[in-house]
Amino acid sequence: MTDEFEHLVSDQMSLSEIGTSNPALNCDDTGTASYNLTAQLDQQGCHGTDSRGAYYNGTTGGSGDGGGAGAGAAGHHDASLACYSIRSEPEEYDENLDAPDSVTYLSIGGNNPVLVIRESDADSVSPASEIPYSYVYNTPVKFDSMRRHIFIPGLEIIVEIIDYERSLTSHVLNPNLYTVKLTHGPFSWTIQKRYNHFRNLHQQLTTYRASLHIPFPTKSHKERRDSFRNMHTVHQATASPAMQQKLGKPLKKIKKSALPRFPLKPDSLVSFDAIPQRIKQLEEYLYNLLNISLYRNFHGTINFLEVSHISFISALGEKGKEGPIKKRTGSTRPGQSGCNFCGCLAGGCCVRCSYFCTDVLWSKWRNRWFFVKETCFGYYRPKDGLLRCVVLFDQGFDISSGMYSTGMRNGLQIATNSRYLVIKYPTRRIAKEWMTHMKRVANESARDFTLPNPHQSFAPSRPGVQAGWFVDGAGYMSAVADALEGATEEIFITDWMLSPEIYMKRPAIDGDYWRLDKILKRKAEQGIKIFVLLFKELDFALGINSYYSKAKLVEQHENIKVRTHTHTLPTT
């Protein structure tokens, strides 16, 4: 009753403002429950706050001149105080994350109405089988934004703690390391977390939920506050008839078992015999938490689950492993950046001094979101969501850790034939976990590219490949035209000299239908991404005029991207 009261009157929000019939109880003079607590407190006229900052009325029947603490008539006890009296016994769970409903943002913006639905009462979110591959081309969104779309719509996340490790010597306060298995549709992955990780997430969500009730001056806080308060009072003019009917239904009171109830007792006070019960408590907390979209889409929860917007795209393969890292700048090839002292550092004459010069004097550490897929790895820049690097596993792949390789106990050095990266993790355990995972990927799903292949090829021999021999250019160009016409997602073209006006099929009896620029424009208008790489000639030696080809193709459609060969890509 106390928690419901605090939730109802926090931020001085009435029942009509939050648009819900949540039966927050109050007590009258006789101690019976009623639903007019807000009106009763307004009549009494004095306010205060309890130890957790909840807004309440703390006066009795006397006058207000006594500072809100005066006594009433003799023998009279204000029973409303019983509704928010502080409990003397310690609480076992923290239920501050209770929400009126599972809220989903449909649109967020300025002064426009914000439509919010309740997933428990509406069937507007139909389950999807997968996220389409074209999603990778959406406009990048920074990682702490509420506009990110991570999960498959309509599918829940199953939580199961499958194992734990207990170490009272190295981790006195958080001795248990839990292995959590998460399942989202066809994707399954595991994460390892301690109790303090759960507690930190709970604290972030508690702060975030409180921020929705505080009118911060920033625009983003105002949008989130409006969407939370107007979840039931949606403008009828902007809602469809079906939505109006669903919004007209009264809200159902959420059962206590569906609330994310966080266990307050730390792991250091949990005995060995009580660990199964602790595992069940954490499972229920995380599962109930992820069923509330308001918290599931929070960037702290997304980081906790180690997922991103590329995690659940079936065309990219398995989810893989992801997480935040710190990357050292200048990671190209050893000895190409920073101070080298005439080759002494690259030659290994000084170990620690080398890392001091490269780490402290000449380099900086940047926050990145690192991911490992079946045959590649790379990283995003969280502050703007841009993809900064993708590296393929190849025969030069090598990964090492330790003081000699990186100068840090929690660092990793990753090298391929094309890139050299130095990254570090918060702890040594996490660094070893990533190192083990990348070695396993290199020896399993990427073994075709990391092991030697015939004829020193970067790729293995593949039987059953769709290939054919062509006698002349007529048959080849016709086959290329058919392949372009059948493209559904992407088109890649690389050429030494390319003429946009070339006819792919001859004779040209269909007008310019089979002309190259017309084919590419037609496919670009269908939403297909087209990438063209051309050779940038030297003007005094060759007159192939690659600039004209680039300008002619780019002007066709925004989905056609052209880059010339000698223009290098930026690296970070």
Side-chain angles (χ1 to χ4, degrees), residues 53-86:
Y55 173 82
Y56 66 91
N57 185 308
T59 61
T60 58
S63 63
D65 298 335
H76 174 73
H77 173 69
D78 189 356
S80 62
L81 290 176
C83 296
Y84 46 84
S85 59
I86 301 178

PDB file of all heavy atoms in Angstrom, residues 53-86:
ATOM      1  N   GLY A  53      11.761  10.325  -0.719  1.00  0.00           N
ATOM      2  CA  GLY A  53      11.425  11.439  -1.581  1.00  0.00           C
ATOM      3  C   GLY A  53      10.003  11.420  -2.094  1.00  0.00           C
ATOM      4  O   GLY A  53       9.655  12.185  -2.968  1.00  0.00           O
ATOM      5  N   ALA A  54       9.116  10.556  -1.572  1.00  0.00           N
ATOM      6  CA  ALA A  54       7.737  10.502  -2.047  1.00  0.00           C
ATOM      7  C   ALA A  54       6.971  11.708  -1.511  1.00  0.00           C
ATOM      8  O   ALA A  54       7.135  12.126  -0.363  1.00  0.00           O
ATOM      9  CB  ALA A  54       7.070   9.217  -1.593  1.00  0.00           C
ATOM     10  N   TYR A  55       6.120  12.283  -2.347  1.00  0.00           N
ATOM     11  CA  TYR A  55       5.326  13.434  -1.961  1.00  0.00           C
ATOM     12  C   TYR A  55       4.139  12.969  -1.137  1.00  0.00           C
ATOM     13  O   TYR A  55       3.412  12.070  -1.530  1.00  0.00           O
ATOM     14  CB  TYR A  55       4.860  14.160  -3.223  1.00  0.00           C
ATOM     15  CG  TYR A  55       3.880  15.283  -2.985  1.00  0.00           C
ATOM     16  CD1 TYR A  55       4.328  16.533  -2.614  1.00  0.00           C
ATOM     17  CD2 TYR A  55       2.523  15.072  -3.141  1.00  0.00           C
ATOM     18  CE1 TYR A  55       3.438  17.558  -2.406  1.00  0.00           C
ATOM     19  CE2 TYR A  55       1.620  16.098  -2.926  1.00  0.00           C
ATOM     20  CZ  TYR A  55       2.080  17.338  -2.557  1.00  0.00           C
ATOM     21  OH  TYR A  55       1.202  18.346  -2.335  1.00  0.00           O
ATOM     22  N   TYR A  56       3.918  13.581   0.038  1.00  0.00           N
ATOM     23  CA  TYR A  56       2.791  13.170   0.871  1.00  0.00           C
ATOM     24  C   TYR A  56       2.329  14.344   1.716  1.00  0.00           C
ATOM     25  O   TYR A  56       2.977  15.382   1.808  1.00  0.00           O
ATOM     26  CB  TYR A  56       3.188  11.987   1.754  1.00  0.00           C
ATOM     27  CG  TYR A  56       4.244  12.300   2.787  1.00  0.00           C
ATOM     28  CD1 TYR A  56       3.899  12.717   4.066  1.00  0.00           C
ATOM     29  CD2 TYR A  56       5.586  12.169   2.465  1.00  0.00           C
ATOM     30  CE1 TYR A  56       4.879  13.003   4.997  1.00  0.00           C
ATOM     31  CE2 TYR A  56       6.566  12.452   3.398  1.00  0.00           C
ATOM     32  CZ  TYR A  56       6.206  12.858   4.662  1.00  0.00           C
ATOM     33  OH  TYR A  56       7.158  13.142   5.586  1.00  0.00           O
ATOM     34  N   ASN A  57       1.199  14.139   2.379  1.00  0.00           N
ATOM     35  CA  ASN A  57       0.616  15.129   3.272  1.00  0.00           C
ATOM     36  C   ASN A  57       0.811  14.640   4.690  1.00  0.00           C
ATOM     37  O   ASN A  57       0.376  13.557   5.041  1.00  0.00           O
ATOM     38  CB  ASN A  57      -0.893  15.280   2.948  1.00  0.00           C
ATOM     39  CG  ASN A  57      -1.530  16.385   3.771  1.00  0.00           C
ATOM     40  OD1 ASN A  57      -1.404  16.403   4.983  1.00  0.00           O
ATOM     41  ND2 ASN A  57      -2.229  17.277   3.079  1.00  0.00           N
ATOM     42  N   GLY A  58       1.469  15.420   5.520  1.00  0.00           N
ATOM     43  CA  GLY A  58       1.796  14.945   6.847  1.00  0.00           C
ATOM     44  C   GLY A  58       1.149  15.708   7.969  1.00  0.00           C
ATOM     45  O   GLY A  58       1.668  15.718   9.087  1.00  0.00           O
ATOM     46  N   THR A  59       0.036  16.407   7.735  1.00  0.00           N
ATOM     47  CA  THR A  59      -0.608  17.184   8.797  1.00  0.00           C
ATOM     48  C   THR A  59      -1.792  16.429   9.365  1.00  0.00           C
ATOM     49  O   THR A  59      -2.314  15.507   8.763  1.00  0.00           O
ATOM     50  CB  THR A  59      -1.085  18.539   8.257  1.00  0.00           C
ATOM     51  OG1 THR A  59      -2.038  18.292   7.230  1.00  0.00           O
ATOM     52  CG2 THR A  59       0.074  19.344   7.700  1.00  0.00           C
ATOM     53  N   THR A  60      -2.180  16.846  10.540  1.00  0.00           N
ATOM     54  CA  THR A  60      -3.391  16.323  11.160  1.00  0.00           C
ATOM     55  C   THR A  60      -4.487  17.351  11.046  1.00  0.00           C
ATOM     56  O   THR A  60      -4.385  18.301  10.287  1.00  0.00           O
ATOM     57  CB  THR A  60      -3.100  15.967  12.620  1.00  0.00           C
ATOM     58  OG1 THR A  60      -2.629  17.131  13.297  1.00  0.00           O
ATOM     59  CG2 THR A  60      -2.020  14.898  12.709  1.00  0.00           C
ATOM     60  N   GLY A  61      -5.498  17.188  11.868  1.00  0.00           N
ATOM     61  CA  GLY A  61      -6.665  18.066  11.751  1.00  0.00           C
ATOM     62  C   GLY A  61      -6.449  19.466  12.287  1.00  0.00           C
ATOM     63  O   GLY A  61      -7.358  20.267  12.228  1.00  0.00           O
ATOM     64  N   GLY A  62      -5.288  19.793  12.867  1.00  0.00           N
ATOM     65  CA  GLY A  62      -5.057  21.108  13.414  1.00  0.00           C
ATOM     66  C   GLY A  62      -4.786  22.141  12.349  1.00  0.00           C
ATOM     67  O   GLY A  62      -4.834  21.891  11.169  1.00  0.00           O
ATOM     68  N   SER A  63      -4.471  23.364  12.773  1.00  0.00           N
ATOM     69  CA  SER A  63      -4.204  24.454  11.848  1.00  0.00           C
ATOM     70  C   SER A  63      -2.847  24.272  11.219  1.00  0.00           C
ATOM     71  O   SER A  63      -1.988  23.573  11.711  1.00  0.00           O
ATOM     72  CB  SER A  63      -4.282  25.803  12.589  1.00  0.00           C
ATOM     73  OG  SER A  63      -3.284  25.840  13.581  1.00  0.00           O
ATOM     74  N   GLY A  64      -2.625  24.987  10.122  1.00  0.00           N
ATOM     75  CA  GLY A  64      -1.372  24.857   9.392  1.00  0.00           C
ATOM     76  C   GLY A  64      -0.274  25.719   9.954  1.00  0.00           C
ATOM     77  O   GLY A  64       0.820  25.736   9.407  1.00  0.00           O
ATOM     78  N   ASP A  65      -0.509  26.501  11.008  1.00  0.00           N
ATOM     79  CA  ASP A  65       0.534  27.368  11.517  1.00  0.00           C
ATOM     80  C   ASP A  65       1.593  26.626  12.284  1.00  0.00           C
ATOM     81  O   ASP A  65       2.650  27.170  12.577  1.00  0.00           O
ATOM     82  CB  ASP A  65      -0.089  28.449  12.439  1.00  0.00           C
ATOM     83  CG  ASP A  65      -1.046  29.330  11.682  1.00  0.00           C
ATOM     84  OD1 ASP A  65      -0.874  29.431  10.448  1.00  0.00           O
ATOM     85  OD2 ASP A  65      -1.955  29.908  12.310  1.00  0.00           O
ATOM     86  N   GLY A  66       1.360  25.396  12.625  1.00  0.00           N
ATOM     87  CA  GLY A  66       2.307  24.656  13.419  1.00  0.00           C
ATOM     88  C   GLY A  66       3.374  23.967  12.608  1.00  0.00           C
ATOM     89  O   GLY A  66       4.057  23.105  13.124  1.00  0.00           O
ATOM     90  N   GLY A  67       3.543  24.363  11.334  1.00  0.00           N
ATOM     91  CA  GLY A  67       4.595  23.798  10.502  1.00  0.00           C
ATOM     92  C   GLY A  67       4.281  22.420   9.994  1.00  0.00           C
ATOM     93  O   GLY A  67       5.155  21.729   9.537  1.00  0.00           O
ATOM     94  N   GLY A  68       3.039  21.975  10.075  1.00  0.00           N
ATOM     95  CA  GLY A  68       2.684  20.668   9.522  1.00  0.00           C
ATOM     96  C   GLY A  68       2.920  19.547  10.489  1.00  0.00           C
ATOM     97  O   GLY A  68       2.854  18.394  10.131  1.00  0.00           O
ATOM     98  N   ALA A  69       3.198  19.840  11.769  1.00  0.00           N
ATOM     99  CA  ALA A  69       3.470  18.766  12.724  1.00  0.00           C
ATOM    100  C   ALA A  69       2.600  18.878  13.967  1.00  0.00           C
ATOM    101  O   ALA A  69       2.865  18.260  14.981  1.00  0.00           O
ATOM    102  CB  ALA A  69       4.946  18.767  13.115  1.00  0.00           C
ATOM    103  N   GLY A  70       1.553  19.697  13.967  1.00  0.00           N
ATOM    104  CA  GLY A  70       0.718  19.888  15.136  1.00  0.00           C
ATOM    105  C   GLY A  70      -0.182  18.716  15.404  1.00  0.00           C
ATOM    106  O   GLY A  70      -0.481  17.918  14.542  1.00  0.00           O
ATOM    107  N   ALA A  71      -0.674  18.617  16.605  1.00  0.00           N
ATOM    108  CA  ALA A  71      -1.561  17.515  16.993  1.00  0.00           C
ATOM    109  C   ALA A  71      -2.995  17.929  16.809  1.00  0.00           C
ATOM    110  O   ALA A  71      -3.358  19.095  16.900  1.00  0.00           O
ATOM    111  CB  ALA A  71      -1.299  17.105  18.429  1.00  0.00           C
ATOM    112  N   GLY A  72      -3.862  16.967  16.602  1.00  0.00           N
ATOM    113  CA  GLY A  72      -5.279  17.227  16.423  1.00  0.00           C
ATOM    114  C   GLY A  72      -6.001  17.182  17.755  1.00  0.00           C
ATOM    115  O   GLY A  72      -5.433  17.397  18.830  1.00  0.00           O
ATOM    116  N   ALA A  73      -7.278  16.917  17.675  1.00  0.00           N
ATOM    117  CA  ALA A  73      -8.075  16.838  18.894  1.00  0.00           C
ATOM    118  C   ALA A  73      -7.625  15.664  19.725  1.00  0.00           C
ATOM    119  O   ALA A  73      -7.039  14.722  19.250  1.00  0.00           O
ATOM    120  CB  ALA A  73      -9.572  16.704  18.531  1.00  0.00           C
ATOM    121  N   ALA A  74      -7.931  15.745  21.058  1.00  0.00           N
ATOM    122  CA  ALA A  74      -7.501  14.686  21.975  1.00  0.00           C
ATOM    123  C   ALA A  74      -8.153  13.380  21.590  1.00  0.00           C
ATOM    124  O   ALA A  74      -9.351  13.320  21.345  1.00  0.00           O
ATOM    125  CB  ALA A  74      -7.895  15.072  23.420  1.00  0.00           C
ATOM    126  N   GLY A  75      -7.333  12.356  21.563  1.00  0.00           N
ATOM    127  CA  GLY A  75      -7.837  11.023  21.255  1.00  0.00           C
ATOM    128  C   GLY A  75      -8.029  10.781  19.777  1.00  0.00           C
ATOM    129  O   GLY A  75      -8.446   9.695  19.392  1.00  0.00           O
ATOM    130  N   HIS A  76      -7.766  11.785  18.936  1.00  0.00           N
ATOM    131  CA  HIS A  76      -7.965  11.609  17.494  1.00  0.00           C
ATOM    132  C   HIS A  76      -6.630  11.265  16.845  1.00  0.00           C
ATOM    133  O   HIS A  76      -5.627  11.902  17.089  1.00  0.00           O
ATOM    134  CB  HIS A  76      -8.521  12.909  16.892  1.00  0.00           C
ATOM    135  CG  HIS A  76      -8.618  12.834  15.382  1.00  0.00           C
ATOM    136  ND1 HIS A  76      -9.572  12.068  14.760  1.00  0.00           N
ATOM    137  CD2 HIS A  76      -7.869  13.427  14.422  1.00  0.00           C
ATOM    138  CE1 HIS A  76      -9.435  12.197  13.457  1.00  0.00           C
ATOM    139  NE2 HIS A  76      -8.398  13.017  13.222  1.00  0.00           N
ATOM    140  N   HIS A  77      -6.622  10.250  16.028  1.00  0.00           N
ATOM    141  CA  HIS A  77      -5.414   9.819  15.313  1.00  0.00           C
ATOM    142  C   HIS A  77      -5.681   9.865  13.814  1.00  0.00           C
ATOM    143  O   HIS A  77      -6.680   9.305  13.342  1.00  0.00           O
ATOM    144  CB  HIS A  77      -5.034   8.398  15.722  1.00  0.00           C
ATOM    145  CG  HIS A  77      -3.912   7.844  14.895  1.00  0.00           C
ATOM    146  ND1 HIS A  77      -2.627   8.319  14.976  1.00  0.00           N
ATOM    147  CD2 HIS A  77      -3.915   6.851  13.962  1.00  0.00           C
ATOM    148  CE1 HIS A  77      -1.872   7.652  14.147  1.00  0.00           C
ATOM    149  NE2 HIS A  77      -2.620   6.756  13.500  1.00  0.00           N
ATOM    150  N   ASP A  78      -4.830  10.571  13.098  1.00  0.00           N
ATOM    151  CA  ASP A  78      -4.979  10.663  11.642  1.00  0.00           C
ATOM    152  C   ASP A  78      -4.494   9.365  11.023  1.00  0.00           C
ATOM    153  O   ASP A  78      -3.301   9.097  10.935  1.00  0.00           O
ATOM    154  CB  ASP A  78      -4.161  11.841  11.106  1.00  0.00           C
ATOM    155  CG  ASP A  78      -4.455  12.109   9.631  1.00  0.00           C
ATOM    156  OD1 ASP A  78      -5.221  11.335   9.028  1.00  0.00           O
ATOM    157  OD2 ASP A  78      -3.906  13.092   9.095  1.00  0.00           O
ATOM    158  N   ALA A  79      -5.443   8.545  10.586  1.00  0.00           N
ATOM    159  CA  ALA A  79      -5.094   7.226  10.063  1.00  0.00           C
ATOM    160  C   ALA A  79      -4.411   7.299   8.715  1.00  0.00           C
ATOM    161  O   ALA A  79      -3.870   6.304   8.241  1.00  0.00           O
ATOM    162  CB  ALA A  79      -6.357   6.363   9.941  1.00  0.00           C
ATOM    163  N   SER A  80      -4.432   8.488   8.059  1.00  0.00           N
ATOM    164  CA  SER A  80      -3.751   8.569   6.760  1.00  0.00           C
ATOM    165  C   SER A  80      -2.254   8.422   6.904  1.00  0.00           C
ATOM    166  O   SER A  80      -1.557   8.082   5.959  1.00  0.00           O
ATOM    167  CB  SER A  80      -4.076   9.907   6.076  1.00  0.00           C
ATOM    168  OG  SER A  80      -3.597  10.981   6.867  1.00  0.00           O
ATOM    169  N   LEU A  81      -1.741   8.699   8.117  1.00  0.00           N
ATOM    170  CA  LEU A  81      -0.305   8.515   8.332  1.00  0.00           C
ATOM    171  C   LEU A  81       0.090   7.065   8.218  1.00  0.00           C
ATOM    172  O   LEU A  81       1.244   6.736   7.915  1.00  0.00           O
ATOM    173  CB  LEU A  81       0.090   9.051   9.713  1.00  0.00           C
ATOM    174  CG  LEU A  81       0.040  10.567   9.898  1.00  0.00           C
ATOM    175  CD1 LEU A  81       0.360  10.912  11.339  1.00  0.00           C
ATOM    176  CD2 LEU A  81       1.011  11.259   8.958  1.00  0.00           C
ATOM    177  N   ALA A  82      -0.854   6.157   8.480  1.00  0.00           N
ATOM    178  CA  ALA A  82      -0.531   4.731   8.388  1.00  0.00           C
ATOM    179  C   ALA A  82      -0.244   4.307   6.965  1.00  0.00           C
ATOM    180  O   ALA A  82       0.365   3.269   6.734  1.00  0.00           O
ATOM    181  CB  ALA A  82      -1.680   3.899   8.945  1.00  0.00           C
ATOM    182  N   CYS A  83      -0.697   5.120   6.005  1.00  0.00           N
ATOM    183  CA  CYS A  83      -0.499   4.732   4.612  1.00  0.00           C
ATOM    184  C   CYS A  83       0.948   4.905   4.189  1.00  0.00           C
ATOM    185  O   CYS A  83       1.398   4.277   3.246  1.00  0.00           O
ATOM    186  CB  CYS A  83      -1.391   5.564   3.699  1.00  0.00           C
ATOM    187  SG  CYS A  83      -3.152   5.287   3.966  1.00  0.00           S
ATOM    188  N   TYR A  84       1.686   5.798   4.825  1.00  0.00           N
ATOM    189  CA  TYR A  84       3.064   6.031   4.406  1.00  0.00           C
ATOM    190  C   TYR A  84       4.016   5.987   5.589  1.00  0.00           C
ATOM    191  O   TYR A  84       5.068   6.612   5.599  1.00  0.00           O
ATOM    192  CB  TYR A  84       3.196   7.382   3.682  1.00  0.00           C
ATOM    193  CG  TYR A  84       2.509   8.534   4.359  1.00  0.00           C
ATOM    194  CD1 TYR A  84       3.142   9.240   5.379  1.00  0.00           C
ATOM    195  CD2 TYR A  84       1.230   8.905   3.977  1.00  0.00           C
ATOM    196  CE1 TYR A  84       2.504  10.287   5.982  1.00  0.00           C
ATOM    197  CE2 TYR A  84       0.598   9.953   4.586  1.00  0.00           C
ATOM    198  CZ  TYR A  84       1.231  10.647   5.594  1.00  0.00           C
ATOM    199  OH  TYR A  84       0.598  11.687   6.195  1.00  0.00           O
ATOM    200  N   SER A  85       3.656   5.278   6.620  1.00  0.00           N
ATOM    201  CA  SER A  85       4.553   5.134   7.762  1.00  0.00           C
ATOM    202  C   SER A  85       5.751   4.285   7.370  1.00  0.00           C
ATOM    203  O   SER A  85       5.644   3.324   6.613  1.00  0.00           O
ATOM    204  CB  SER A  85       3.807   4.481   8.934  1.00  0.00           C
ATOM    205  OG  SER A  85       3.318   3.211   8.542  1.00  0.00           O
ATOM    206  N   ILE A  86       6.912   4.639   7.862  1.00  0.00           N
ATOM    207  CA  ILE A  86       8.151   3.936   7.535  1.00  0.00           C
ATOM    208  C   ILE A  86       8.177   2.607   8.268  1.00  0.00           C
ATOM    209  O   ILE A  86       7.942   2.528   9.469  1.00  0.00           O
ATOM    210  CB  ILE A  86       9.365   4.787   7.928  1.00  0.00           C
ATOM    211  CG1 ILE A  86       9.318   6.127   7.187  1.00  0.00           C
ATOM    212  CG2 ILE A  86      10.656   4.051   7.641  1.00  0.00           C
ATOM    213  CD1 ILE A  86      10.451   7.049   7.555  1.00  0.00           C
TER     214      ILE A  86
END
